[in-house]
Amino acid sequence: MSEDMLYVHYETVSNYVLSKGIAVKDYTKLARKLPENLLLVDGRKSIGTYDNHTGFQVIKGQENVKAFFQKGTDNQAAMGKWIDFVNVDMLHLLTPIEISEILYIAHAHTHLHSPFYYKLQNNYIYLTLPNGFIKMYYRYLEQFHELFAEAITVKLKEKVNEKKRFYQKSKEIAPFPIERVKEFIPIFKEGAVISFRQMSIEGNTYCIPLFIAEDRYASIGGRFNEKDSVGTICYDMDRNEWKIDIDFE
């Protein structure tokens, strides 16, 4: 999928978001509260320290977690696959069955039972999938709203300024209102594409169409029929205002 298209599938039963194209400029914002520790479940041996009980690498302490997230800002693939946890002593109480379930999540990219473990007290599971997709479990799904609002703002600012000359000042965009992200939930549940590729401009108003792609991932990278649009996100540069129009039930 082109970087000019964002995909979001919102799963409210298992509390995960499958996305593509949501560029995170600062991975320390990925979690509302920076995790205490991370369990790296992608088999890498060059990061963190080895934990004998689980057989995974771990990153201990918020300062080290912060440094790990900052590397992810430069290279999304560096984020790999991880689960946060609160306490090393509780980590060492994981049973072989629970460790095997975590291995399954890392391999199959889905959970067998609850993705939130009492012993880990985890709030997140982050999985880098093939073809640039990201699957992230959230104990509180509304935390994704902040990332989506930032991604929309950043992407529109890039598009508005992509043809400016080097001596021209960049045009500023008002932040997308986080409280309005909930209006997208009905289409997120179906698998939504926000197509900046098909953005229209009328005067100083920019409108980005919304489409439903469901789970047909192969179709996401293509151009959608305008007649199939289920709404628009518009931004008025003169008034610095966002307008959302979603026609989907």
Side-chain angles (χ1 to χ4, degrees):
M1 180 170 56
S2 164
E3 63 179 7
D4 286 342
M5 303 180 81
L6 310 182
Y7 172 79
V8 177
H9 181 219
Y10 202 97
E11 223 283 4
T12 55
V13 175
S14 302
N15 273 37
Y16 72 76
V17 176
L18 180 66
S19 65
K20 191 172 184 182
I22 305 291
V24 180
K25 296 299 183 182
D26 181 358
Y27 271 93
T28 60
K29 295 180 181 179
L30 194 67
R32 184 172 297 170
K33 181 181 182 297
L34 194 66
E36 299 287 339
N37 312 282
L38 298 180
L39 189 66
L40 306 182
V41 297
D42 55 4
R44 285 181 292 176
K45 302 299 182 184
S46 59
I47 302 176
T49 57
Y50 181 76
D51 180 72
N52 286 314
H53 179 74
T54 62
F56 295 121
Q57 299 291 113
V58 298
I59 295 178
K60 299 178 184 177
Q62 287 187 324
E63 286 302 312
N64 290 326
V65 170
K66 184 177 180 179
F68 174 74
F69 280 0
Q70 287 173 337
K71 288 182 180 178
T73 302
D74 299 325
N75 178 14
Q76 181 175 291
M79 293 295 288
K81 303 174 184 179
W82 52 262
I83 302 175
D84 67 298
F85 68 96
V86 172
N87 185 282
V88 174
D89 291 335
M90 292 295 287
L91 174 71
H92 291 165
L93 294 180
L94 287 174
T95 65
I97 294 296
E98 289 168 328
I99 294 171
S100 67
E101 286 185 16
I102 292 172
L103 280 167
Y104 181 81
I105 289 174
H107 175 72
H109 305 141
T110 191
H111 59 288
L112 287 172
H113 300 103
S114 171
F116 302 103
Y117 296 85
Y118 169 74
K119 293 172 186 175
L120 298 181
Q121 292 293 295
N122 64 301
N123 289 306
Y124 316 98
I125 299 178
Y126 184 97
L127 303 169
T128 300
L129 276 57
N131 301 321
F133 283 89
I134 299 296
K135 185 175 185 179
M136 188 164 181
Y137 289 86
Y138 294 85
R139 188 179 292 271
Y140 306 104
L141 262 178
E142 63 272 14
Q143 292 192 27
F144 171 74
H145 296 186
E146 298 176 30
L147 294 184
F148 179 76
E150 180 180 13
I152 291 293
T153 305
V154 169
K155 176 52 66 178
L156 181 59
K157 183 176 179 180
E158 289 176 357
K159 296 294 289 183
V160 167
N161 290 290
E162 66 180 358
K163 293 183 179 180
K164 83 173 187 69
R165 300 182 185 278
F166 72 91
Y167 56 82
Q168 291 177 315
K169 184 178 180 180
S170 295
K171 295 179 181 178
E172 294 299 318
I173 301 294
F176 187 89
I178 294 173
E179 65 275 9
R180 301 205 62 183
V181 177
K182 61 185 179 183
E183 298 175 34
F184 294 84
I185 292 176
I187 63 172
F188 282 171
K189 288 180 179 179
E190 300 298 324
V193 170
I194 299 91
S195 181
F196 284 88
R197 179 188 301 175
Q198 294 172 246
M199 181 176 72
S200 62
I201 306 171
E202 186 173 338
N204 275 333
T205 298
Y206 296 75
C207 288
I208 308 106
L210 310 174
F211 300 94
I212 299 296
E214 299 177 324
D215 58 357
R216 294 175 285 111
Y217 305 132
S219 70
I220 294 171
R223 190 174 183 88
F224 288 81
N225 190 322
E226 303 289 349
K227 295 180 180 179
D228 294 332
S229 172
V230 295
T232 55
I233 304 172
C234 294
Y235 186 79
D236 187 326
M237 292 291 296
D238 294 327
R239 297 184 178 183
N240 291 323
E241 290 180 353
W242 293 90
K243 181 181 178 182
I244 302 163
D245 181 16
I246 298 176
D247 183 16
F248 181 80
E249 295 181 0

